[in-house]
Amino acid sequence: MLLIYTPQSTTRLQYICKFIFEEVLGTSYTLTIDEVNFNDYDGFKINYSDIFLEEIFQIKPHSILFETGISEQDVNCFVHKEHKAFFKKENAHYPFDVFAATFYLITRYEEYLPHRLDMYGRYAHENSIAYKEDFLNIPLVNIWLAHFKEILQQHFPTIIFKQKPFNFLPTYDIDMAWSYKEKGLLRNAGGFLKSPSIGRLSALLGLSDDPFDSYDFLHGIHQQYYVKPLYFFLVATENGMYDKNILPDNEAMQLLIKAHAEKYDIGLHPSWKSNDAIEILKDEKAVLENISSKSIKSSRQHYIKCTMPETFQYLIETGIMDDYSMGYGSINGFRASVASSFLWYDLSTDKITKLRMHPFCFMDANCFYEQKLSVKESVDELMHYYKYCKLINGTLITIFHNNFLGVDKKFMGWSNLYKDFISQVQE
């Protein structure tokens, strides 16, 4: 067991030590404020203080883990082992406070500070240190901790770490179940007048598949490659500017949800409106539970509409235990700089919560609408994230939408991209 000395055992320090040592590195540890017992201990030891203790592995602490409240932090990056780091500390066994820096990134500390919003009222990714310092496209925390593990092994050759395997989780957001089907006479008539289409008529007459209907295609992939996906359904009870799915009182929509709930894990895709009204969120969760006959414990925000800390406080109050919104709806990459799940820390109350965050790093819509990438460029980006997550034994979570994987000419090539990718991941 690893014993860590600290002059003060705070909630922040307890939280980040549990994440680093138990969840990522897979080794046991104990925090102590007793310097005498620490010196007498005959096992593996880390001195997390400014006090010099001869021949004991030392990390000099940054103040953030001993503070309360939220304030501007001096985050100046330098290069360590070919990657960016910050909270630099001189004359210690480790060149920066990896505990504090990891805490800063995974708690999304910077999102509590004054910042610019994007066109959808979300935290703009351009605010983030990961974007400014050009490490948004790598799981920097996992890279730091892999190196930290190597250094600990050099100091403590007999220490045991339990390596977690690489994991891949494909997820789907069903927020436009069909392009034409089940939209009713008025919506289809209006759509036809705006953009006349033989394809619309053919799909409505049952002569061809709806362009967004990729459900059988996906089910075939899952069976062929033994994939266990997670589906998120938007069940807003009324349509709005950003909530445009088939309403949940529609029989076909209910059958679609039930069919997937019987085969796969499903979660809630909270509507745009629900982000500002917890009662709407609770109603939508109840609707999905009613239709699926399942207890819903997972969610991902529609349009990745998140506000710190209110969005996640609402989810906890509604009974959600696992959230998959930790990423950007404007660019691909690692929003929290990590490819591992972690418990959400509420900085507004300085409390560890039971809500587990599952970061994603790739979404088809970001490639197509935001980054304006070709199919080939999107493949290259997706493979980049796959290789990095596999390298550090992290978890790769991808987001695809049914409309990208159907037969709509607008998204030509995406279904082949996806099937080829799944075949490589599952080799």
Coordinates of all heavy atoms in Angstrom, one line a residue, residues 85-113:
A85 N 2.4 20.6 -19.6 CA 2.1 20.4 -18.2 C 2.0 21.8 -17.6 O 2.4 22.8 -18.2 CB 3.1 19.6 -17.5
F86 N 1.4 21.9 -16.4 CA 1.4 23.2 -15.7 C 1.4 22.9 -14.2 O 1.4 21.8 -13.7 CB 0.2 24.0 -16.1 CG -1.2 23.3 -16.0 CD1 -2.0 23.4 -14.9 CD2 -1.6 22.6 -17.1 CE1 -3.2 22.7 -14.9 CE2 -2.9 21.9 -17.1 CZ -3.6 22.0 -15.9
F87 N 1.4 24.0 -13.4 CA 1.6 24.0 -11.9 C 3.0 23.4 -11.7 O 3.1 22.4 -10.9 CB 0.5 23.1 -11.2 CG -0.9 23.7 -11.3 CD1 -2.0 22.9 -11.1 CD2 -1.1 25.1 -11.6 CE1 -3.3 23.5 -11.1 CE2 -2.4 25.6 -11.7 CZ -3.5 24.8 -11.5
K88 N 4.0 24.0 -12.3 CA 5.3 23.6 -12.2 C 5.9 23.8 -10.8 O 5.6 24.8 -10.1 CB 6.2 24.4 -13.2 CG 7.6 23.9 -13.3 CD 8.3 24.7 -14.4 CE 9.7 24.2 -14.7 NZ 10.4 24.9 -15.8
K89 N 6.7 22.8 -10.3 CA 7.3 22.9 -9.0 C 8.8 22.5 -9.1 O 9.1 21.4 -9.7 CB 6.6 22.0 -8.0 CG 5.2 22.4 -7.7 CD 5.2 23.7 -6.8 CE 3.8 24.2 -6.5 NZ 3.8 25.4 -5.7
E90 N 9.6 23.3 -8.5 CA 11.1 23.1 -8.6 C 11.5 22.2 -7.4 O 10.9 22.2 -6.3 CB 11.9 24.4 -8.6 CG 11.4 25.4 -9.7 CD 12.0 25.0 -11.1 OE1 12.7 24.0 -11.1 OE2 11.6 25.6 -12.1
N91 N 12.7 21.6 -7.5 CA 13.4 20.9 -6.4 C 12.5 19.9 -5.7 O 12.3 19.8 -4.5 CB 13.9 21.9 -5.4 CG 14.8 22.9 -6.0 OD1 15.7 22.6 -6.7 ND2 14.6 24.2 -5.6
A92 N 11.9 19.0 -6.6 CA 11.1 17.9 -6.1 C 11.3 16.7 -7.0 O 12.0 16.8 -8.0 CB 9.6 18.3 -6.0
H93 N 10.8 15.5 -6.6 CA 11.0 14.4 -7.5 C 10.1 14.4 -8.7 O 10.4 13.6 -9.6 CB 10.7 13.1 -6.6 CG 11.7 12.8 -5.6 ND1 11.6 13.2 -4.3 CD2 12.9 12.2 -5.7 CE1 12.7 12.8 -3.6 NE2 13.5 12.2 -4.4
Y94 N 9.1 15.2 -8.7 CA 8.3 15.3 -9.9 C 8.2 16.8 -10.3 O 8.0 17.7 -9.4 CB 6.9 14.7 -9.6 CG 6.3 14.1 -10.9 CD1 6.8 13.0 -11.5 CD2 5.2 14.8 -11.5 CE1 6.3 12.5 -12.7 CE2 4.7 14.2 -12.7 CZ 5.2 13.1 -13.3 OH 4.7 12.6 -14.4
P95 N 8.3 17.2 -11.5 CA 8.4 18.6 -11.9 C 7.2 19.4 -11.9 O 7.3 20.6 -12.0 CB 8.9 18.5 -13.4 CG 8.4 17.2 -13.9 CD 8.4 16.2 -12.7
F96 N 6.0 18.8 -11.7 CA 4.8 19.6 -11.5 C 3.8 18.9 -10.6 O 4.0 17.7 -10.4 CB 4.2 19.9 -12.9 CG 3.6 18.7 -13.6 CD1 2.2 18.5 -13.6 CD2 4.4 17.9 -14.3 CE1 1.6 17.5 -14.3 CE2 3.8 16.8 -15.0 CZ 2.4 16.6 -15.0
D97 N 2.9 19.6 -10.1 CA 1.9 19.0 -9.2 C 0.8 18.2 -10.1 O -0.2 18.8 -10.5 CB 1.2 20.0 -8.3 CG 0.3 19.4 -7.3 OD1 0.0 18.2 -7.4 OD2 -0.2 20.1 -6.4
V98 N 1.1 17.0 -10.3 CA 0.2 16.2 -11.2 C -1.2 16.0 -10.5 O -2.2 15.9 -11.2 CB 0.9 14.8 -11.5 CG1 1.0 13.9 -10.3 CG2 0.1 14.1 -12.7
F99 N -1.2 16.0 -9.2 CA -2.5 15.9 -8.5 C -3.4 17.1 -8.8 O -4.6 17.0 -9.2 CB -2.4 15.8 -7.0 CG -1.6 14.6 -6.5 CD1 -1.3 14.4 -5.2 CD2 -1.2 13.6 -7.4 CE1 -0.6 13.3 -4.7 CE2 -0.5 12.5 -6.9 CZ -0.2 12.4 -5.6
A100 N -2.8 18.3 -8.6 CA -3.5 19.5 -8.8 C -3.9 19.8 -10.3 O -5.0 20.2 -10.6 CB -2.7 20.7 -8.3
A101 N -3.0 19.5 -11.2 CA -3.2 19.7 -12.6 C -4.3 18.8 -13.1 O -5.2 19.2 -13.9 CB -1.9 19.5 -13.4
T102 N -4.3 17.6 -12.7 CA -5.4 16.6 -13.0 C -6.7 17.1 -12.5 O -7.7 17.1 -13.2 CB -5.0 15.2 -12.5 OG1 -3.8 14.8 -13.1 CG2 -6.2 14.2 -12.8
F103 N -6.7 17.6 -11.3 CA -8.0 18.1 -10.7 C -8.5 19.3 -11.5 O -9.7 19.3 -11.7 CB -7.7 18.5 -9.2 CG -8.9 19.1 -8.5 CD1 -9.8 18.3 -7.9 CD2 -9.1 20.5 -8.4 CE1 -10.9 18.8 -7.2 CE2 -10.2 21.0 -7.8 CZ -11.1 20.2 -7.2
Y104 N -7.6 20.2 -11.9 CA -8.0 21.3 -12.6 C -8.7 21.0 -13.9 O -9.8 21.5 -14.3 CB -6.8 22.2 -12.9 CG -7.1 23.5 -13.6 CD1 -7.5 24.7 -12.9 CD2 -7.1 23.6 -15.0 CE1 -7.8 25.9 -13.5 CE2 -7.4 24.8 -15.6 CZ -7.7 25.9 -14.9 OH -8.1 27.1 -15.6
L105 N -8.2 19.9 -14.6 CA -8.7 19.6 -15.9 C -10.0 18.7 -15.8 O -11.0 19.0 -16.5 CB -7.7 18.8 -16.7 CG -6.5 19.6 -17.2 CD1 -5.5 18.7 -17.8 CD2 -6.9 20.7 -18.1
I106 N -10.0 17.7 -14.9 CA -11.2 16.8 -14.9 C -12.4 17.5 -14.2 O -13.6 17.1 -14.5 CB -10.9 15.4 -14.4 CG1 -10.7 15.4 -12.9 CG2 -9.7 14.8 -15.1 CD1 -10.7 14.0 -12.3
T107 N -12.2 18.4 -13.3 CA -13.4 19.1 -12.7 C -13.9 20.2 -13.6 O -14.9 20.7 -13.3 CB -13.0 19.7 -11.3 OG1 -12.0 20.7 -11.5 CG2 -12.5 18.6 -10.4
R108 N -13.2 20.5 -14.7 CA -13.6 21.6 -15.6 C -13.6 22.9 -14.8 O -14.5 23.7 -15.0 CB -14.9 21.3 -16.3 CG -14.9 20.0 -17.1 CD -13.8 19.9 -18.1 NE -13.7 21.0 -19.0 CZ -12.6 21.7 -19.2 NH1 -11.5 21.4 -18.6 NH2 -12.7 22.7 -20.1
Y109 N -12.6 23.1 -14.0 CA -12.5 24.3 -13.2 C -12.6 25.5 -14.0 O -13.3 26.5 -13.5 CB -11.1 24.3 -12.5 CG -10.9 25.2 -11.3 CD1 -11.0 24.7 -10.0 CD2 -10.6 26.6 -11.5 CE1 -10.8 25.6 -8.9 CE2 -10.5 27.4 -10.5 CZ -10.5 26.9 -9.2 OH -10.4 27.8 -8.1
E110 N -12.1 25.6 -15.1 CA -12.1 26.8 -16.0 C -13.5 27.2 -16.4 O -13.8 28.3 -16.7 CB -11.2 26.7 -17.2 CG -11.5 25.5 -18.1 CD -10.4 25.2 -19.1 OE1 -9.4 26.0 -19.1 OE2 -10.6 24.2 -19.8
E111 N -14.4 26.2 -16.4 CA -15.8 26.4 -16.9 C -16.6 27.1 -15.8 O -17.7 27.6 -16.1 CB -16.5 25.1 -17.3 CG -15.8 24.5 -18.6 CD -16.6 23.4 -19.2 OE1 -17.8 23.5 -19.2 OE2 -16.0 22.5 -19.8
Y112 N -16.1 27.2 -14.6 CA -16.8 28.0 -13.5 C -16.4 29.4 -13.5 O -17.0 30.2 -12.9 CB -16.5 27.3 -12.2 CG -17.1 26.0 -11.9 CD1 -16.5 24.8 -12.4 CD2 -18.3 25.8 -11.2 CE1 -17.0 23.6 -12.2 CE2 -18.8 24.6 -10.9 CZ -18.2 23.5 -11.4 OH -18.7 22.2 -11.2
L113 N -15.3 29.7 -14.2 CA -14.8 31.1 -14.3 C -15.5 31.9 -15.4 O -16.1 31.3 -16.3 CB -13.3 31.0 -14.5 CG -12.4 30.3 -13.5 CD1 -11.0 30.1 -14.0 CD2 -12.5 31.1 -12.2

